[in-house]
Amino acid sequence: MKSDHRPLAVFDVDGTLADSGHRQHHLEGRRRDWNAFFAAAVDDPPLPEGVRLALSSAEQCEIRYLTGRPERCRRDTVAWLAEHGLPEGRVYMRRNDDRRPARHTKLEILRGLGREREVRMLVDDDELVCDAAEQAGFAVVRAHWAKASAALRDAQEREGRT
């Protein structure tokens, strides 16, 4: 996959392109089952609003994917994107041992991308990620088309797993 010189449109995966609602129950209770949560991602239905936005954005922008999923999920994530007809694009994932909140990991990568190229927009469902990106000067589209459970929001911020 070769890079071009168009501006970048950067898309989150879970809650933006993929509906993770069916697997969020793995994060409820005292013992969160992260392995089951990520293993079930292959069965996520696509979110039509996010897919449409990615496809239309690809007309003017190079697409990149920025997910809080750990690196060990790369093969399944890339296969899922292709299976659902999303544009080709480089996928940025967190290191398997990185437990920082997504607002830190994603902003670090986004800033690096911004040093290389114009980032036309970030599309993400995590309000804290969106707030941090806006404060850093990035244009943000807030993906309000999927509902995250309270357990998922808490896990994202406290455990830095997605």
Side-chain angles (χ1 to χ4, degrees):
M1 171 182 351
K2 58 183 187 181
S3 181
D4 58 37
H5 298 291
R6 297 178 294 163
L8 302 176
V10 181
F11 283 80
D12 171 46
V13 178
D14 295 328
T16 300
L17 300 171
D19 186 350
S20 63
H22 70 99
R23 58 189 166 102
Q24 291 178 17
H25 67 92
H26 293 294
L27 304 181
E28 295 170 0
R30 290 176 27 146
R31 306 230 352 120
R32 294 183 169 127
D33 188 347
W34 286 104
N35 289 332
F37 176 77
F38 288 121
V42 297
D43 297 322
D44 287 357
L47 290 165
E49 297 90 339
V51 171
R52 275 193 300 272
L53 184 56
L55 292 171
S56 65
S57 297
E59 295 172 11
Q60 295 183 6
C61 297
E62 181 181 342
I63 303 300
R64 301 279 178 98
Y65 300 99
L66 176 56
T67 179
R69 292 180 183 186
E71 185 64 41
R72 71 179 183 274
C73 298
R74 178 172 294 280
R75 184 178 313 157
D76 287 344
T77 301
V78 170
W80 187 94
L81 293 167
E83 177 184 341
H84 294 288
L86 284 140
E88 283 190 27
R90 185 167 174 192
V91 178
Y92 298 87
M93 306 182 88
R94 72 170 62 236
R95 292 184 327 269
N96 289 328
D97 64 346
D98 188 345
R99 298 289 188 264
R100 294 175 295 157
R103 61 191 160 90
H104 297 298
T105 59
K106 287 184 175 183
L107 188 58
E108 180 179 290
I109 292 168
L110 200 57
R111 283 184 168 138
L113 293 173
R115 285 191 290 275
E116 298 171 14
R117 301 257 286 286
E118 174 195 348
V119 175
R120 175 85 38 98
M121 67 177 159
L122 167 69
V123 184
D124 203 301
D125 68 315
D126 185 324
E127 291 295 328
L128 295 174
V129 169
C130 292
D131 290 346
E134 284 179 337
Q135 289 171 3
F138 293 98
V140 171
V141 174
R142 293 172 187 259
H144 291 294
W145 42 82
K147 184 172 170 114
S149 70
L152 177 62
R153 285 191 304 274
D154 182 62
Q156 287 174 319
E157 185 60 17
R158 290 180 191 256
E159 295 184 34
R161 296 275 188 123
T162 185

